[in-house]
Coordinates of all heavy atoms in Angstrom, one line a residue:
M1 N 17.0 103.9 134.6 CA 16.9 105.3 134.3 C 18.0 105.6 133.2 O 19.2 105.2 133.4 CB 17.2 106.1 135.5 CG 16.9 107.6 135.3 SD 17.2 108.6 136.7 CE 16.1 107.9 137.9
A2 N 17.7 106.2 132.2 CA 18.7 106.5 131.1 C 19.4 107.8 131.5 O 18.9 108.6 132.3 CB 17.9 106.7 129.7
K3 N 20.4 108.1 130.6 CA 21.3 109.2 130.9 C 21.7 109.9 129.5 O 21.9 109.1 128.5 CB 22.6 109.0 131.6 CG 22.4 108.5 132.9 CD 23.8 108.4 133.5 CE 24.1 107.0 133.9 NZ 25.4 106.8 134.5
V4 N 21.8 111.1 129.5 CA 22.3 111.8 128.3 C 23.6 112.6 128.8 O 23.6 113.3 129.7 CB 21.3 112.9 127.8 CG1 22.0 113.7 126.6 CG2 20.1 112.3 127.4
I5 N 24.8 112.1 128.2 CA 26.0 112.6 128.7 C 26.6 113.5 127.5 O 26.7 113.1 126.4 CB 27.0 111.6 129.0 CG1 26.4 110.6 130.1 CG2 28.3 112.0 129.5 CD1 27.2 109.3 130.3
K6 N 27.1 114.8 127.9 CA 27.8 115.6 127.1 C 28.7 116.5 127.8 O 28.8 116.5 128.9 CB 26.8 116.5 126.3 CG 25.9 117.3 127.2 CD 24.8 118.0 126.4 CE 24.0 119.0 127.3 NZ 23.0 119.7 126.5
A7 N 29.6 117.1 126.9 CA 30.6 118.1 127.6 C 29.8 119.2 128.1 O 28.9 119.7 127.4 CB 31.6 118.4 126.5
A8 N 30.3 119.6 129.3 CA 29.6 121.0 129.8 C 30.1 122.0 129.0 O 31.2 122.2 128.5 CB 29.8 121.0 131.3
A9 N 29.3 123.2 129.1 CA 29.8 124.4 128.5 C 31.0 124.8 129.1 O 31.3 124.9 130.2 CB 28.6 125.5 128.7
E10 N 31.9 125.3 128.2 CA 33.2 125.8 128.7 C 33.1 127.3 129.1 O 32.5 128.0 128.5 CB 34.3 125.6 127.6 CG 34.5 124.0 127.4 CD 35.8 123.8 126.7 OE1 36.7 124.5 126.7 OE2 35.9 122.6 126.1
S11 N 34.0 127.6 130.1 CA 34.1 129.1 130.5 C 35.4 129.6 130.1 O 36.3 128.9 129.7 CB 33.8 129.1 131.9 OG 34.7 128.4 132.7
D12 N 35.5 130.8 130.4 CA 36.9 131.5 130.2 C 37.8 131.2 131.2 O 39.1 131.3 130.9 CB 36.6 133.1 130.1 CG 35.8 133.5 128.9 OD1 35.7 132.8 127.9 OD2 35.2 134.6 129.0
V13 N 37.4 130.7 132.4 CA 38.3 130.3 133.4 C 38.8 128.9 133.2 O 38.2 128.0 132.8 CB 37.5 130.3 134.8 CG1 38.5 129.8 135.9 CG2 36.9 131.7 135.0
V14 N 40.1 128.8 133.3 CA 40.7 127.5 133.0 C 40.4 126.5 134.3 O 40.7 126.8 135.3 CB 42.3 127.6 132.9 CG1 42.9 126.2 132.7 CG2 42.6 128.5 131.7
M15 N 39.8 125.4 133.9 CA 39.5 124.5 135.0 C 39.3 123.1 134.4 O 39.3 122.9 133.1 CB 38.2 124.8 135.7 CG 37.0 125.1 134.9 SD 35.5 125.9 135.7 CE 35.3 124.6 136.9
P16 N 39.4 122.1 135.1 CA 39.3 120.8 134.6 C 38.0 120.5 133.7 O 37.0 121.3 134.0 CB 39.2 119.7 135.8 CG 39.8 120.5 136.9 CD 39.4 122.1 136.6
K17 N 38.2 119.7 132.7 CA 37.0 119.5 131.9 C 35.7 118.9 132.7 O 36.0 118.1 133.6 CB 37.3 118.4 130.8 CG 38.3 118.8 129.8 CD 37.7 119.8 128.8 CE 38.7 120.1 127.7 NZ 38.2 120.9 126.7
Q18 N 34.6 119.4 132.4 CA 33.3 119.0 133.1 C 32.5 118.2 132.1 O 32.5 118.4 130.9 CB 32.6 120.3 133.5 CG 33.4 121.2 134.4 CD 33.4 120.6 136.0 OE1 32.4 120.4 136.4 NE2 34.6 120.3 136.5
V19 N 31.6 117.3 132.6 CA 30.5 116.7 131.8 C 29.2 117.0 132.5 O 29.1 117.2 133.7 CB 30.9 115.1 131.8 CG1 32.1 114.7 131.0 CG2 30.8 114.6 133.1
E20 N 28.3 117.1 131.6 CA 27.0 117.4 132.1 C 26.1 116.1 131.8 O 26.2 115.5 130.7 CB 26.2 118.5 131.3 CG 24.8 118.7 131.7 CD 24.2 119.8 130.9 OE1 24.6 121.1 131.1 OE2 23.4 119.6 130.0
I21 N 25.5 115.5 132.8 CA 24.6 114.3 132.7 C 23.1 114.6 133.1 O 22.9 115.2 134.1 CB 25.2 113.3 133.8 CG1 26.7 113.0 133.5 CG2 24.4 112.0 133.6 CD1 27.4 112.2 134.5
Q22 N 22.3 114.4 132.0 CA 21.0 114.5 132.3 C 20.4 113.1 132.5 O 20.4 112.3 131.7 CB 20.4 115.2 131.0 CG 20.8 116.6 130.6 CD 20.2 117.1 129.4 OE1 19.8 116.4 128.6 NE2 20.2 118.4 129.4
H23 N 19.8 113.0 133.6 CA 19.1 111.8 133.9 C 17.7 111.9 133.6 O 16.9 112.7 134.0 CB 19.2 111.5 135.6 CG 20.7 111.4 136.0 ND1 21.4 110.2 136.2 CD2 21.6 112.4 136.4 CE1 22.5 110.5 136.7 NE2 22.7 111.7 136.8
T24 N 17.3 110.9 132.7 CA 16.0 111.0 132.2 C 15.1 109.8 132.6 O 15.5 108.9 133.2 CB 16.1 111.0 130.7 OG1 16.7 109.6 130.3 CG2 17.0 112.1 130.1
K25 N 13.7 110.1 132.4 CA 12.8 109.1 132.7 C 11.7 109.1 131.7 O 11.5 110.1 131.0 CB 12.2 109.1 134.2 CG 11.5 110.4 134.5 CD 11.1 110.4 135.9 CE 10.4 111.7 136.2 NZ 9.9 111.7 137.6
V26 N 11.0 108.0 131.5 CA 9.9 108.0 130.5 C 8.6 108.2 131.3 O 8.3 107.5 132.3 CB 9.9 106.6 129.8 CG1 8.6 106.6 128.8 CG2 11.2 106.5 129.0
M27 N 7.7 109.2 130.8 CA 6.4 109.3 131.3 C 5.4 109.3 130.2 O 5.7 109.3 129.0 CB 6.4 110.6 132.0 CG 7.5 110.8 133.1 SD 7.5 112.5 133.9 CE 6.0 112.4 134.9
K28 N 4.1 109.2 130.6 CA 3.0 109.4 129.7 C 2.6 110.8 129.5 O 2.5 111.5 130.5 CB 1.9 108.5 130.1 CG 2.2 107.1 130.3 CD 2.1 106.3 128.9 CE 2.3 104.8 129.2 NZ 2.6 104.2 128.0
D29 N 2.3 111.2 128.2 CA 1.8 112.6 128.1 C 0.3 112.5 128.1 O -0.3 111.5 128.5 CB 2.3 113.3 126.8 CG 1.8 112.6 125.5 OD1 0.9 111.6 125.6 OD2 2.2 112.9 124.4
A30 N -0.4 113.7 127.9 CA -1.8 113.6 128.1 C -2.6 112.7 127.1 O -3.6 112.2 127.3 CB -2.4 115.1 127.9
A31 N -1.9 112.5 125.9 CA -2.5 111.5 125.0 C -2.2 110.2 125.2 O -2.6 109.1 124.5 CB -2.0 112.0 123.6
G32 N -1.4 109.8 126.3 CA -1.0 108.5 126.7 C 0.3 107.9 126.0 O 0.6 106.8 126.1
K33 N 1.0 108.9 125.3 CA 2.2 108.4 124.6 C 3.4 108.5 125.5 O 3.4 109.5 126.4 CB 2.3 109.3 123.4 CG 1.2 109.0 122.3 CD 1.5 109.7 121.0 CE 0.4 109.5 120.0 NZ 0.7 110.1 118.6
D34 N 4.3 107.7 125.3 CA 5.6 107.9 126.1 C 6.4 109.0 125.6 O 6.6 109.2 124.5 CB 6.4 106.6 126.0 CG 5.8 105.4 126.7 OD1 5.0 105.6 127.5 OD2 6.3 104.2 126.4
V35 N 6.9 109.8 126.6 CA 7.8 110.9 126.4 C 8.9 110.8 127.4 O 8.7 110.4 128.5 CB 7.1 112.3 126.5 CG1 6.1 112.5 125.4 CG2 6.5 112.4 127.9
T36 N 10.1 111.2 126.8 CA 11.3 111.2 127.7 C 11.5 112.6 128.3 O 11.5 113.5 127.5 CB 12.5 110.7 127.0 OG1 12.3 109.4 126.5 CG2 13.8 110.7 127.9
V37 N 11.6 112.8 129.6 CA 11.8 114.0 130.2 C 13.1 114.0 131.1 O 13.4 112.9 131.6 CB 10.6 114.4 131.1 CG1 9.4 114.5 130.2 CG2 10.4 113.4 132.2
V38 N 13.7 115.1 131.2 CA 14.9 115.2 132.1 C 14.4 115.2 133.6 O 13.5 116.2 134.0 CB 15.6 116.5 131.8 CG1 16.9 116.6 132.8 CG2 16.2 116.4 130.4
D39 N 14.8 114.3 134.3 CA 14.4 114.2 135.8 C 15.4 115.1 136.6 O 14.9 115.9 137.4 CB 14.6 112.7 136.3 CG 14.1 112.5 137.5 OD1 13.1 113.3 137.9 OD2 14.5 111.6 138.2
W40 N 16.7 115.1 136.4 CA 17.6 116.0 137.0 C 18.9 116.0 136.3 O 19.1 115.2 135.4 CB 17.7 115.6 138.4 CG 18.3 114.2 138.6 CD1 17.5 113.1 138.7 CD2 19.6 113.8 139.1 NE1 18.3 112.0 139.0 CE2 19.6 112.5 139.2 CE3 20.8 114.6 139.3 CZ2 20.7 111.7 139.7 CZ3 21.9 113.9 139.8 CH2 21.9 112.5 139.8
T41 N 19.6 117.1 136.4 CA 20.9 117.2 135.7 C 22.1 117.4 136.7 O 21.8 118.3 137.7 CB 20.9 118.5 134.7 OG1 19.8 118.3 133.9 CG2 22.1 118.8 133.9
E42 N 23.2 117.0 136.3 CA 24.4 117.2 137.2 C 25.6 117.5 136.4 O 25.6 117.0 135.2 CB 24.7 116.1 138.1 CG 25.2 114.7 137.5 CD 25.4 113.7 138.5 OE1 26.1 113.9 139.4 OE2 25.1 112.5 138.2
T43 N 26.4 118.4 136.8 CA 27.6 118.8 136.2 C 28.8 118.3 137.1 O 28.8 118.8 138.2 CB 27.7 120.1 135.9 OG1 26.6 120.6 135.0 CG2 28.9 120.6 135.1
V44 N 29.6 117.4 136.6 CA 30.7 116.9 137.5 C 32.1 116.9 136.6 O 32.1 116.8 135.4 CB 30.4 115.4 137.9 CG1 31.3 114.8 138.8 CG2 29.0 115.3 138.4
G45 N 33.2 116.9 137.3 CA 34.4 116.8 136.6 C 34.6 115.5 135.8 O 34.2 114.4 136.3
A46 N 35.1 115.6 134.7 CA 35.3 114.4 133.8 C 36.2 113.3 134.6 O 35.9 112.1 134.5 CB 36.0 114.7 132.5
D47 N 37.1 113.7 135.2 CA 38.0 112.8 136.0 C 37.3 112.0 137.1 O 37.4 110.8 137.2 CB 39.2 113.4 136.7 CG 40.2 113.9 135.7 OD1 40.4 113.4 134.6 OD2 41.0 114.9 136.0
E48 N 36.4 112.7 137.7 CA 35.5 112.1 138.8 C 34.6 111.1 138.1 O 34.3 109.9 138.7 CB 34.8 113.1 139.6 CG 33.9 112.5 140.6 CD 33.1 113.5 141.5 OE1 33.4 114.7 141.5 OE2 32.2 113.0 142.1
M49 N 34.0 111.4 137.0 CA 33.1 110.5 136.3 C 33.8 109.3 135.8 O 33.2 108.2 135.8 CB 32.3 111.3 135.4 CG 31.3 112.2 135.9 SD 30.3 111.7 137.1 CE 29.3 110.2 136.4
I50 N 35.0 109.4 135.3 CA 35.8 108.3 134.9 C 36.0 107.4 136.0 O 35.8 106.1 135.9 CB 37.1 108.7 134.2 CG1 36.8 109.4 132.8 CG2 38.0 107.6 134.0 CD1 38.0 110.1 132.3
T51 N 36.4 107.8 137.2 CA 36.6 107.1 138.4 C 35.4 106.3 138.8 O 35.4 105.2 139.2 CB 37.1 108.0 139.6 OG1 38.4 108.6 139.1 CG2 37.4 107.2 140.9
R52 N 34.2 107.1 138.8 CA 33.0 106.5 139.2 C 32.6 105.3 138.3 O 32.3 104.3 138.7 CB 31.8 107.5 139.1 CG 31.7 108.4 140.3 CD 30.4 109.2 140.2 NE 30.4 110.4 141.0 CZ 29.4 111.3 140.9 NH1 28.5 111.0 140.2 NH2 29.6 112.5 141.7
A53 N 32.8 105.6 137.0 CA 32.4 104.6 135.9 C 33.4 103.4 136.1 O 32.8 102.2 135.9 CB 32.5 105.2 134.5
E54 N 34.6 103.6 136.3 CA 35.5 102.4 136.5 C 35.2 101.6 137.7 O 35.1 100.3 137.7 CB 36.9 102.9 136.5 CG 37.4 103.4 135.3 CD 38.7 104.1 135.2 OE1 39.3 104.5 136.4 OE2 39.5 104.2 134.2
A55 N 34.7 102.3 138.8 CA 34.3 101.5 139.9 C 33.0 100.8 139.7 O 32.9 99.5 140.2 CB 34.1 102.4 141.1
E56 N 32.1 101.3 139.1 CA 30.9 100.6 138.7 C 31.2 99.4 137.7 O 30.5 98.3 137.8 CB 29.9 101.6 138.0 CG 29.2 102.5 138.8 CD 28.3 103.5 138.1 OE1 27.5 103.0 137.2 OE2 28.3 104.7 138.4
L57 N 32.2 99.5 136.8 CA 32.5 98.4 136.0 C 33.1 97.4 136.9 O 32.8 96.1 136.5 CB 33.5 98.9 134.9 CG 33.9 98.0 133.9 CD1 32.8 97.4 133.1 CD2 35.0 98.6 133.0
V58 N 33.9 97.5 137.7 CA 34.4 96.6 138.7 C 33.4 95.7 139.2 O 33.3 94.5 139.2 CB 35.5 97.0 139.6 CG1 35.9 96.0 140.7 CG2 36.7 97.6 138.8
T59 N 32.3 96.5 139.8 CA 31.2 95.9 140.5 C 30.5 95.0 139.5 O 30.1 93.9 139.8 CB 30.4 97.0 141.1 OG1 31.1 97.7 142.0 CG2 29.1 96.3 141.9
A60 N 30.2 95.6 138.3 CA 29.4 94.9 137.3 C 30.1 93.6 136.9 O 29.6 92.4 136.8 CB 29.1 95.7 136.3
E61 N 31.4 93.7 136.7 CA 32.2 92.5 136.3 C 32.2 91.3 137.4 O 32.1 90.2 137.1 CB 33.6 92.9 135.9 CG 33.8 93.6 134.7 CD 35.1 94.2 134.5 OE1 35.9 94.4 135.3 OE2 35.4 94.5 133.2
A62 N 32.2 91.8 138.7 CA 32.1 90.9 139.7 C 30.7 90.1 139.7 O 30.6 88.9 139.9 CB 32.4 91.5 141.1
L63 N 29.8 90.9 139.4 CA 28.4 90.3 139.4 C 28.3 89.4 138.3 O 27.7 88.3 138.4 CB 27.3 91.5 139.3 CG 25.9 91.1 139.1 CD1 25.5 90.3 140.4 CD2 25.0 92.3 139.0
V64 N 28.8 89.7 137.1 CA 28.8 88.8 135.9 C 29.4 87.4 136.3 O 29.0 86.4 136.1 CB 29.5 89.4 134.7 CG1 29.7 88.3 133.7 CG2 28.6 90.5 134.2
V65 N 30.6 87.4 137.1 CA 31.3 86.3 137.5 C 30.4 85.5 138.4 O 30.4 84.3 138.3 CB 32.7 86.6 138.1 CG1 33.2 85.4 138.8 CG2 33.7 87.2 137.1
S66 N 29.8 86.1 139.4 CA 29.0 85.5 140.3 C 27.8 84.8 139.7 O 27.4 83.6 139.9 CB 28.5 86.5 141.5 OG 27.6 85.8 142.2
L67 N 27.2 85.5 138.7 CA 26.0 85.0 138.0 C 26.4 83.7 137.1 O 25.6 82.8 137.1 CB 25.4 86.1 137.1 CG 24.6 87.2 138.0 CD1 24.1 88.3 137.0 CD2 23.4 86.6 138.6
K68 N 27.5 83.8 136.5 CA 28.0 82.6 135.7 C 28.2 81.4 136.6 O 27.8 80.3 136.2 CB 29.3 83.0 135.0 CG 29.1 83.9 133.7 CD 30.4 84.1 133.0 CE 30.1 85.1 131.8 NZ 31.4 85.3 131.1
A69 N 28.8 81.6 137.9 CA 28.9 80.5 138.8 C 27.6 79.9 139.2 O 27.5 78.8 139.3 CB 29.7 81.0 140.0
D70 N 26.6 80.9 139.4 CA 25.3 80.5 139.8 C 24.7 79.7 138.7 O 24.0 78.6 139.0 CB 24.4 81.7 140.0 CG 24.7 82.5 141.3 OD1 25.5 81.9 142.0 OD2 24.1 83.5 141.6
I71 N 24.8 80.0 137.5 CA 24.2 79.4 136.2 C 24.9 78.0 136.1 O 24.2 77.0 136.0 CB 24.5 80.1 135.0 CG1 23.6 81.3 135.0 CG2 24.1 79.2 133.7 CD1 23.9 82.3 133.8
V72 N 26.1 77.8 136.4 CA 26.8 76.5 136.4 C 26.0 75.5 137.6 O 25.8 74.4 137.2 CB 28.3 76.6 136.7 CG1 29.0 75.2 136.9 CG2 29.0 77.2 135.4
E73 N 25.8 76.1 138.7 CA 25.3 75.3 139.8 C 23.9 75.0 139.5 O 23.4 73.8 139.6 CB 25.3 76.1 141.1 CG 26.7 76.3 141.7 CD 27.5 75.0 141.8 OE1 26.9 74.0 142.4 OE2 28.6 75.0 141.5
Y74 N 23.1 75.9 138.8 CA 21.7 75.5 138.4 C 21.7 74.4 137.4 O 20.8 73.5 137.4 CB 21.0 76.8 137.8 CG 20.9 78.0 138.8 CD1 20.8 79.3 138.4 CD2 20.7 77.7 140.2 CE1 20.8 80.4 139.3 CE2 20.6 78.8 141.1 CZ 20.7 80.1 140.7 OH 20.6 81.2 141.5
K75 N 22.6 74.5 136.5 CA 22.6 73.5 135.4 C 23.1 72.1 135.9 O 22.6 71.1 135.5 CB 23.6 73.9 134.3 CG 23.0 75.0 133.4 CD 23.9 75.4 132.3 CE 23.3 76.5 131.4 NZ 24.2 76.8 130.3
K76 N 24.0 72.1 137.0 CA 24.2 70.8 137.7 C 23.0 70.1 138.3 O 22.7 69.0 138.3 CB 25.3 71.0 138.7 CG 26.6 71.3 138.2 CD 27.7 71.4 139.5 CE 29.0 71.9 139.0 NZ 29.8 72.1 140.3
I77 N 22.1 71.1 138.9 CA 20.9 70.5 139.5 C 20.0 70.0 138.5 O 19.4 69.0 138.7 CB 20.4 71.7 140.4 CG1 21.4 71.9 141.6 CG2 19.0 71.4 140.9 CD1 20.9 73.2 142.4
K78 N 19.9 70.8 137.5 CA 18.9 70.4 136.4 C 19.3 69.2 135.7 O 18.4 68.3 135.5 CB 18.9 71.6 135.3 CG 17.9 71.3 134.2 CD 17.9 72.4 133.2 CE 17.1 72.0 132.0 NZ 17.2 73.0 131.0
G79 N 20.5 68.9 135.7 CA 21.1 67.6 135.1 C 21.4 67.5 133.7 O 21.1 68.2 132.7

């Protein structure tokens, strides 16, 4: 699922910066062509999203390390 990320509209009230994330998906229109539509939208604090993204990055990096180790083992078996 793709995302569109942008700064949320600012208000007169001083508050932490917000980001708006539009989660999109691809669907077919009546003519059978692919169109991208917004599935749902969320507005979250920028600091929270940075924390979430950093946590996801740590998980992804660990997965890469694991996959590289798997590939080494597969290549040993292959010869």
Side-chain angles (χ1 to χ4, degrees):
M1 185 180 307
K3 298 185 241 185
V4 176
I5 301 172
K6 61 183 178 180
E10 295 198 20
S11 67
D12 295 334
V13 179
V14 176
M15 49 190 306
K17 294 283 186 177
Q18 301 281 306
V19 294
E20 180 180 286
I21 303 169
Q22 295 178 335
H23 299 267
T24 60
K25 61 182 176 181
V26 176
M27 301 177 75
K28 300 276 185 195
D29 66 8
K33 295 184 180 185
D34 288 344
V35 293
T36 301
V37 296
V38 175
D39 192 23
W40 57 286
T41 302
E42 66 178 319
T43 302
V44 184
D47 290 336
E48 180 180 342
M49 289 312 301
I50 291 169
T51 300
R52 283 189 202 175
E54 288 172 340
E56 287 180 36
L57 180 60
V58 168
T59 301
E61 288 172 339
L63 179 58
V64 168
V65 169
S66 176
L67 290 170
K68 285 182 177 181
D70 289 352
I71 289 169
V72 168
E73 293 302 315
Y74 299 147
K75 286 183 177 180
K76 284 182 189 175
I77 292 169
K78 181 181 175 185

